[in-house]
Amino acid sequence: MSDPKIVKLVDESSNRSSELPLISGTLGPACIDIGTLYKDTGHFTYDPGYGSTASTKSAITYIDGDQGVLLYRGYPIEQLAEKSSFLEVAYLLLNGELPKPTEFATFEHDITHHTMMHEAQKNFFQGFHHDAHPMAMLAAAVASLSAFYHDDLDVENPSDRKMAAIRLIAKMPTIAAACYRYSIGWPMRYPRNNLEYVTRFLHMMFEVPSEPLQMNPVAAKALDLLFILHADHEQNASTSTVRLVGSTGANPYASIAAGITALWGPAHGGANEAVLKQLEEIGTPDNVESAVLRAKDKNDSFRLMGFGHRVYKNFDPRAKIIREMCHKVLAELGVNDPLLEVAMKLEEAALKDDYFVERKLYPNVDFYSGIIYKALGIPTEMFTVMFAIARTAGWIAHWIEQHETPGSRIGRPRQIYTGADVRNYTSGDKR
Ligand code: ACO
């Protein structure tokens, strides 16, 4: 895929230069390969926040932020949202192709038969304080999988990698539901393998020993769709974290646990929880105007949560789908949530405000998802956990791709040092 075009960079002060090849992918702008820059010129590049930096090649997901396009393995997210299921999408992300029916049956069977937690892992939860945040428990519990499955794991072995992917995708809903049930003092439920992935998860969340659970199929369908939309998003902060940790040769459970902690931040996956809290604080459509004013005030750290995105400078295509679905799900479940009205008013006000227009700040994937989670009975602190269940498919697909790529190296950025110049140690009485 290498393009013969070259960018020449000349450092006039030293008269050293570097000829940097342009690399093109299948879609998207060509990148300048700066791999030899330091050797040729003695300079690094500086790009905090990675606004102009591609950290890897990847064949999994493509985003065109200006056009609002998202493709998983080439398939538009709109088509997958309409026609696929989360498990099929997980297979697609991992394997590169949509499964034939027999391939899907094998995959579903494998996932279904690895859903149980190790019995000893249940004791692990007893150590948490009763009000621990479920994301804290999730990160720790996933990292602890390393302790249960480490000894026989060789990250260089493709079938071991595949088994780790199966285990993670299969166990994540079980662990997530356990986090929730521990926090409310309910007994943990074993996965019921006669149910499909999302319905099984909802049972583990909400079934109580004393009575059968009446499950509305609309809830499972809505959650499945949300999982599809959250399954991957190329080199975002959490996926890049998984890759950076993975580049050291760390095991997949440790790598994904690191991704979970990165996801938790409110600038990333934690935004879904923050959006709902913010909508509740705003309270009524009448307060929207003052919220927008606060968001524009540079002396106020207040931001509209669920707005803006590093890559999308157009509508986030996932937000469009979720917005439509939000209306449908609430109507089908017979839920009348006044927060939806607040959210719509906020969206309308922001989209016609010069501040948001000039900065191309649109609602992102998390703006409406919380209202749907709430309608499904999922508590606010569990929103980012929902995101993590879905994103596990993407994280592990990237971890596998990284290990399959020949010549992968440990990730090791450099810095511009701004500390003290070299100086001599002075003894205590002379300081
Ligand atoms: N509300 C108000 N102003 C905003 C917002 C917002 N939500 N987002 C960005 N801006 C402003 C910034 O203040 C900045 O203004 P300036 O140019 O006058 O300084 C400008 O828009 C650009 O913002 P940056 O922070 O430079 O954009 P960046 O790409 O670094 O950040 C981010 C993207 C983190 C998503 C940001 O838009 C944000 O904080 N949004 C709210 C949190 C959120 O919804 N996160 C979820 C993202 S989607 C996901 O991770 C799943």
Side-chain angles (χ1 to χ4, degrees):
M1 282 209 278
S2 247
D3 197 310
K5 285 195 197 112
I6 299 247
V7 169
K8 188 164 181 185
L9 195 139
V10 181
D11 174 6
E12 287 178 355
S13 59
S14 65
N15 220 12
R16 288 168 79 181
S17 67
S18 188
E19 296 202 334
L20 306 169
L22 280 182
I23 306 177
S24 296
T26 325
L27 295 167
C31 290
I32 304 168
D33 178 354
I34 58 166
T36 59
L37 186 70
Y38 180 65
K39 184 166 65 74
D40 294 343
T41 68
H43 296 303
F44 301 130
T45 54
Y46 178 60
D47 185 20
Y50 311 113
S52 298
T53 298
S55 61
T56 186
K57 292 180 187 171
S58 177
I60 300 173
T61 290
Y62 174 72
I63 304 173
D64 182 332
D66 294 324
Q67 299 301 318
V69 170
L70 170 60
L71 312 175
Y72 292 166
R73 298 285 191 181
Y75 294 102
I77 192 66
E78 294 80 3
Q79 291 181 22
L80 294 168
E82 189 190 334
K83 297 178 180 161
S84 190
S85 67
F86 172 67
L87 260 200
E88 190 179 66
V89 163
Y91 181 99
L92 172 69
L93 292 171
L94 284 168
N95 298 288
E97 296 298 335
L98 286 167
K100 296 185 176 80
T102 49
E103 290 168 333
F104 183 72
T106 306
F107 183 64
E108 191 173 33
H109 175 275
D110 291 348
I111 295 284
T112 303
H113 289 86
H114 286 90
T115 49
M116 278 178 28
M117 267 193 285
H118 193 290
E119 219 33 37
Q121 204 182 10
K122 282 168 61 184
N123 304 330
F124 185 81
F125 284 85
Q126 307 306 319
F128 290 113
H129 199 256
H130 67 91
D131 59 358
H133 195 286
M135 281 296 280
M137 290 194 266
L138 184 76
V142 170
S144 82
L145 290 172
S146 319
F148 294 103
Y149 302 109
H150 197 180
D151 287 347
D152 57 352
L153 179 80
D154 174 5
V155 297
E156 301 308 329
N157 180 332
S159 69
D160 280 12
R161 291 198 290 259
K162 190 175 159 207
M163 179 48 73
I166 297 280
R167 280 199 178 116
L168 275 158
I169 295 169
K171 291 183 199 308
M172 196 60 98
T174 315
I175 296 172
C179 295
Y180 170 58
R181 295 179 80 96
Y182 180 74
S183 69
I184 55 167
W186 283 5
M188 288 175 195
R189 304 304 286 157
Y190 287 106
R192 285 172 47 177
N193 284 355
N194 58 329
L195 301 174
E196 61 76 40
Y197 192 82
V198 171
T199 315
R200 181 166 59 235
F201 168 63
L202 288 170
H203 268 84
M204 284 189 284
M205 282 284 286
F206 299 122
E207 195 179 40
V208 287
S210 43
E211 57 189 74
L213 177 71
Q214 300 301 326
M215 175 72 61
N216 187 332
V218 172
K221 187 147 183 26
L223 193 56
D224 194 71
L225 179 51
L226 284 171
F227 281 1
I228 292 174
L229 300 178
H230 284 92
D232 194 44
H233 213 228
E234 54 120 300
Q235 308 310 321
N236 54 79
S238 56
T239 304
S240 298
T241 301
V242 170
R243 279 187 177 262
L244 190 57
V245 176
S247 78
T248 69
N251 74 68
Y253 309 110
S255 305
I256 301 301
I260 292 170
T261 56
L263 185 74
W264 193 4
H268 190 13
N272 56 14
E273 181 177 340
V275 168
L276 206 89
K277 287 187 173 151
Q278 190 169 84
L279 290 175
E280 280 167 351
E281 272 163 36
I282 296 172
T284 69
D286 295 345
N287 297 330
V288 159
E289 205 182 314
S290 58
V292 171
L293 281 175
R294 274 193 74 189
K296 297 194 298 182
D297 182 356
K298 288 288 162 204
N299 298 316
D300 191 334
S301 61
F302 180 90
R303 283 190 166 199
L304 284 193
M305 300 313 287
F307 263 82
H309 197 276
R310 168 61 60 77
V311 183
Y312 292 119
K313 302 302 168 198
N314 199 326
F315 254 98
D316 179 337
R318 303 166 300 172
K320 273 193 201 167
I321 299 169
I322 294 184
R323 185 184 197 279
E324 202 185 309
M325 171 190 173
C326 190
H327 289 276
K328 242 196 242 169
V329 170
L330 264 58
E332 285 180 27
L333 293 176
V335 173
N336 181 15
D337 189 342
L339 289 189
L340 181 57
E341 216 187 312
V342 178
M344 287 191 317
K345 182 83 192 290
L346 193 58
E347 181 188 6
E348 188 194 329
L351 288 181
K352 62 180 187 215
D353 191 291
D354 283 350
Y355 174 96
F356 289 87
V357 173
E358 279 162 18
R359 289 168 180 76
K360 299 186 176 166
L361 300 171
Y362 292 87
N364 60 48
V365 67
D366 288 324
F367 190 64
Y368 282 102
S369 64
I371 298 177
I372 302 178
Y373 288 137
K374 187 174 168 227
L376 303 184
I378 292 164
T380 316
E381 315 77 65
M382 283 293 289
F383 288 2
T384 314
V385 173
M386 299 295 108
F387 194 153
I389 296 174
R391 187 55 60 87
T392 296
W395 287 330
I396 195 66
H398 281 273
W399 181 84
I400 287 177
E401 182 182 62
Q402 171 180 47
H403 282 81
E404 282 175 351
T405 306
S408 283
R409 298 169 78 193
I410 187 170
R412 192 2 176 136
R414 298 304 305 265
Q415 63 169 14
I416 298 177
Y417 173 68
T418 58
D421 201 349
V422 63
R423 50 187 170 166
N424 292 321
Y425 181 86
T426 48
S427 56
D429 57 332
K430 297 209 172 99
R431 286 175 207 160

